[in-house]
Amino acid sequence: MNLLMVGAGFSNLALAASLKKQELKITVIERRGQIGGNCFDYFDENSIDIHAYGTHIFHTDNANVWRFLSQFTQWYPYQHEVKALVDGQLVPVPFNFNSIEQLFPKQMAERMIQALLSEFEFNRKVPILKLRESKNPDLQFLAEYVYEKIFLHYTEKQWDVRPEDLDPLVTGRVPVFVGRDNRYFQAKYQGIPLEGYTRMFDKMVDHPNIEVRLNTEFDKSMLDEYDHCFFSGAIDEFFDYKFGQLPYRSLRFDFLTFNRPYFQSNSVVNYPNNYDFTRIGEYKYFLDTKSDNAVVSYEYPEAFVLGKNERYYPIINEENKRLYERYLEEAKSNKKVTFLGRLGDYKYYDMDQAVARSLELAKTFA
Ligand code: UDP
């Protein structure tokens, strides 16, 4: 059987890697000059692992996904922490007891912490929109504060819409944490591939049954040559935008090198209220690389414009989901093509979710 995979991002690479032992011939085509999609990384002249499309931190609770990827890489046991500049101070995000104590007078902080502990479970996340519903005046104040200082302006910069106009799945990504754990993720498995993402991807497709063709555009006439196609490009593009374009957000990165050992206190610092960028990522932290230079990226959200920049995030809301459903209906009539990935499924997948989807697909295809 001959399979065509369009797009050499995490989704198709994981799928290829999980199907490769079978009697299948897999051709992966990729329009860019490298594999890995937006997870592509490289080591620069300082031996620092640069994530070319912004910081990527692998985290999952899915043991299958972790074991699957661990065939292709060892992991640096990195645990992600994010700080945000709020009222002139760098505080842990998600907002937790430490952030509260840093920003509020002692007695007030104490009351808030007690109230959080009495209303919510310890060491758990509470979505900010849920905290807003609390009857306790201190927690209402806290909710408004976090909403305003962490959430509202970051979200406006990032998405160019008000939080209410986004799916709660997106807004639910920034909770308040009931405890002192400063980590951004509490997932059981977290890490950065020890030799980088791209090296891991190379190993995933290193097999005589898999051929990767870079700088290769997809053309519908290719479908005739294959028994099945896995398409991880944009589903609206596949159908020539017949129902209109699915909206996306894009990003622009300014990479800067400073001749000093460290630029900031940790790998990612968010700037919800200041500047036009949302965050600065400093790359040496991910693999704890020692260097006299610090390499950082300033991250500027921008509109996705076809032909001008790349798609990064589907903008998930009711209207866009309806538009996607129309494409999905259309897709169902073509049994020869399976859509997957952030762009094929129009879903805000984290890396592990993309891999989990591919492992499921591999099972049904086997
Ligand atoms: N967010 C926010 N303030 C922050 C961090 C995140 O309001 O300090 C919101 C924002 O809407 C963002 C979403 O939460 O798009 C998801 O953030 P996350 O860091 O998970 O996004 P990613 O790393 O996928 O861009």
Side-chain angles (χ1 to χ4, degrees):
M1 215 184 195
N2 275 324
L3 298 184
L4 176 65
M5 296 190 181
V6 181
F10 220 140
S11 295
N12 265 338
L13 298 181
L15 183 63
S18 48
L19 289 176
K20 68 187 177 188
K21 289 206 187 66
Q22 302 179 33
E23 291 305 304
L24 297 165
K25 169 133 181 36
I26 300 172
T27 306
V28 186
I29 63 166
E30 167 57 52
R31 68 159 58 127
R32 293 181 187 170
Q34 77 258 341
I35 63 170
N38 286 2
C39 304
F40 170 75
D41 65 355
Y42 62 92
F43 287 83
D44 74 352
E45 59 277 16
N46 307 296
S47 303
I48 297 173
D49 181 12
I50 308 294
H51 303 174
Y53 299 86
T55 58
H56 280 74
I57 297 93
F58 193 84
H59 57 99
T60 191
D61 280 314
N62 185 326
N64 286 336
V65 166
W66 181 258
R67 274 190 226 119
F68 170 74
L69 293 177
S70 301
Q71 300 172 83
F72 311 107
T73 188
Q74 291 182 297
W75 300 91
Y76 181 74
Y78 172 79
Q79 300 280 313
H80 193 42
E81 291 189 15
V82 174
K83 298 236 164 78
L85 183 71
V86 175
D87 288 345
Q89 294 207 57
L90 288 178
V91 301
V93 174
F95 220 79
N96 64 23
F97 294 175
N98 299 325
S99 328
I100 290 172
E101 285 174 353
Q102 243 179 290
L103 283 164
F104 300 116
K106 198 164 183 299
Q107 283 187 347
M108 188 179 182
E110 188 59 27
R111 283 204 315 270
M112 282 176 178
I113 289 169
Q114 287 314 321
L116 279 171
L117 284 168
S118 68
E119 278 193 38
F120 304 100
E121 216 176 321
F122 179 59
N123 264 342
R124 286 285 152 79
K125 290 173 168 171
V126 184
I128 175 71
L129 298 179
K130 186 149 182 65
L131 192 65
R132 267 182 141 186
E133 292 164 12
S134 168
K135 300 270 179 297
N136 181 303
D138 286 320
L139 292 191
Q140 277 175 7
F141 178 85
L142 177 64
E144 288 314 311
Y145 185 90
V146 173
Y147 185 83
E148 168 70 28
K149 303 278 182 169
I150 297 283
F151 197 58
L152 179 60
H153 306 294
Y154 188 111
T155 297
E156 284 172 345
K157 275 197 269 190
Q158 170 71 19
W159 300 97
D160 197 28
V161 296
R162 289 186 67 81
E164 291 78 6
D165 299 328
L166 280 172
D167 192 284
L169 271 178
V170 180
T171 46
R173 289 173 72 104
V174 173
V176 164
F177 187 81
V178 184
R180 291 191 188 275
D181 188 343
N182 282 345
R183 292 173 305 163
Y184 201 65
F185 309 112
Q186 275 71 38
K188 176 162 180 186
Y189 307 100
Q190 297 190 46
I192 305 289
L194 199 56
E195 296 176 82
Y197 287 93
T198 304
R199 183 87 193 95
M200 175 178 78
F201 295 141
D202 283 338
K203 287 193 179 156
M204 286 162 82
V205 292
D206 179 18
H207 193 274
N209 289 356
I210 303 176
E211 183 195 350
V212 180
R213 292 188 202 149
L214 300 177
N215 303 303
T216 305
E217 277 290 335
F218 169 70
D219 184 306
K220 284 222 179 74
S221 66
M222 291 174 177
L223 293 176
D224 300 335
E225 300 162 36
Y226 295 90
D227 299 297
H228 196 81
C229 170
F230 290 95
F231 190 89
S232 70
I235 190 169
D236 54 342
E237 184 178 338
F238 183 91
F239 291 110
D240 302 314
Y241 307 105
K242 64 192 282 188
F243 305 125
Q245 277 191 42
L246 283 166
Y248 282 90
R249 285 300 273 174
S250 187
L251 299 172
R252 175 171 70 80
F253 293 94
D254 279 355
F255 281 91
L256 295 172
T257 302
F258 293 92
N259 183 229
R260 53 195 263 197
Y262 290 97
F263 176 80
Q264 59 192 23
S265 62
N266 55 300
S267 64
V268 174
V269 175
N270 289 359
Y271 292 84
N273 310 301
N274 307 78
Y275 311 110
D276 293 333
F277 49 84
T278 47
R279 53 190 172 188
I280 300 179
E282 180 166 359
Y283 290 88
K284 65 181 5 169
Y285 283 105
F286 293 128
L287 296 173
D288 195 20
T289 309
K290 305 298 178 208
S291 165
D292 293 337
N293 293 327
V295 181
V296 303
S297 63
Y298 288 58
E299 184 168 333
Y300 294 88
E302 57 185 25
F304 165 69
V305 182
L306 197 59
K308 180 177 161 263
N309 51 16
E310 300 286 351
R311 297 173 175 93
Y312 278 77
Y313 300 91
I315 304 177
I316 310 293
N317 60 27
E318 286 309 317
E319 188 186 343
N320 299 347
K321 277 199 272 192
R322 274 196 299 276
L323 181 54
Y324 165 67
E325 289 295 330
R326 295 184 71 188
Y327 282 111
L328 189 61
E329 274 308 308
E330 193 75 6
K332 281 181 190 153
S333 62
N334 189 344
K335 299 269 178 281
K336 211 176 166 182
V337 184
T338 303
F339 293 86
L340 73 165
R342 259 197 197 193
L343 310 186
D345 287 338
Y346 200 64
K347 301 242 158 38
Y348 186 177
Y349 287 138
D350 286 332
M351 292 183 278
D352 66 322
Q353 294 170 314
V355 175
R357 161 116 168 95
S358 293
L359 295 185
E360 282 306 310
L361 273 179
K363 264 196 237 159
T364 58
F365 200 73

